[in-house]
Amino acid sequence: MAKLEIIVAPDPRLKLKARPVGTVTPDIRQLMDDMLETMYAAPGIGLAAPQIGRPLRLIVVDAAKKDEGRKPYRMADPEILWASEEVIPYEEGCLSLPEQFAEVVRPRAVRVRYRDEDNSVKELEAEGLLAVCVQHEIDHLTGTLFVDHISALRRNMILRKLQKVKKAKALDAADA
Ligand code: NI
């Protein structure tokens, strides 16, 4: 297993449309495990392949509470089959937008079809935090970030802040 580097916004690689995985090969299974390791280390509850520079329709998610133990989902080519009409607001963050949070409104429950690590087609009915997380990660596959769901004013504020942090880091690196 290997920890991967997470791309931080603003970055054009986060805005790409990912391509289908197709068959889950041993390489893809390895990538799923590496993504999970990277996600747990961050720590986070979801990670999409475009965030580590691989434009593939691949996500990993684990929204289990601490006392429940780990409950990872490895999802290739996830597809939302159904979403509830009922929506819920949730304060979202993202490993590609460190220390930034905003309230996003999404369907409370979804049904998702995907291919798992053994290349079997699975369906998951998720609600609450797991549903929010799955929707957030699937958004990444079309280059959509959680800030794309909030006002342009707030989005630009967050992206400008991140850009500033990036510039400061680049200057520090140049000084060293
Ligand atoms: Ni994210």
Side-chain angles (χ1 to χ4, degrees):
M1 299 238 281
K3 242 176 75 184
L4 308 162
E5 198 185 321
I6 298 172
I7 296 170
V8 172
D11 189 302
R13 288 170 293 176
L14 294 173
K15 304 306 292 173
L16 296 174
K17 196 167 179 287
R19 59 176 187 276
V21 171
T23 309
V24 176
T25 60
D27 279 355
I28 291 292
R29 199 173 310 143
Q30 181 65 53
L31 181 58
M32 288 167 158
D33 287 344
D34 289 346
M35 282 170 61
L36 272 175
E37 186 186 350
T38 304
M39 181 194 87
Y40 285 128
I45 61 171
L47 187 67
Q51 291 179 275
I52 45 106
R54 300 287 297 269
L56 288 169
R57 294 189 57 83
L58 178 63
I59 66 171
V60 293
V61 167
D62 185 344
K65 296 194 189 82
K66 275 204 179 84
D67 57 1
E68 290 176 331
R70 283 184 176 178
K71 231 179 154 210
Y73 289 96
R74 299 163 174 85
M75 299 184 170
D77 296 330
E79 196 190 334
I80 293 176
L81 301 176
W82 169 86
S84 66
E85 268 174 47
E86 191 190 338
V87 294
I88 48 165
Y90 197 87
E91 182 94 341
E92 295 190 22
C94 179
L95 294 177
S96 291
L97 290 88
E99 288 162 54
Q100 306 303 316
F101 302 91
E103 192 172 89
V104 178
V105 175
R106 299 184 190 268
R108 191 189 61 82
V110 288
R111 187 162 66 245
V112 185
R113 182 188 291 151
Y114 62 98
R115 203 136 349 102
D116 73 1
E117 61 274 23
D118 299 316
N119 207 42
S120 312
V121 175
K122 290 270 172 70
E123 279 187 22
L124 170 71
E125 285 230 23
E127 56 172 36
L129 180 57
L130 181 58
V132 166
C133 187
V134 166
Q135 292 174 81
H136 172 120
E137 299 314 326
I138 290 177
D139 264 358
H140 275 296
L141 307 180
T142 51
T144 304
L145 304 175
F146 80 83
V147 289
D148 293 318
H149 292 283
I150 62 178
S151 74
L153 187 74
R154 192 104 161 73
R155 171 168 61 251
N156 291 334
M157 221 168 69
I158 288 178
L159 291 174
R160 266 203 307 271
K161 217 181 285 173
L162 289 167
Q163 183 68 54
K164 237 185 242 170
V165 173
K166 259 191 189 185
K167 266 195 195 141
K169 272 196 184 147
L171 279 178
D172 279 354
D175 280 345

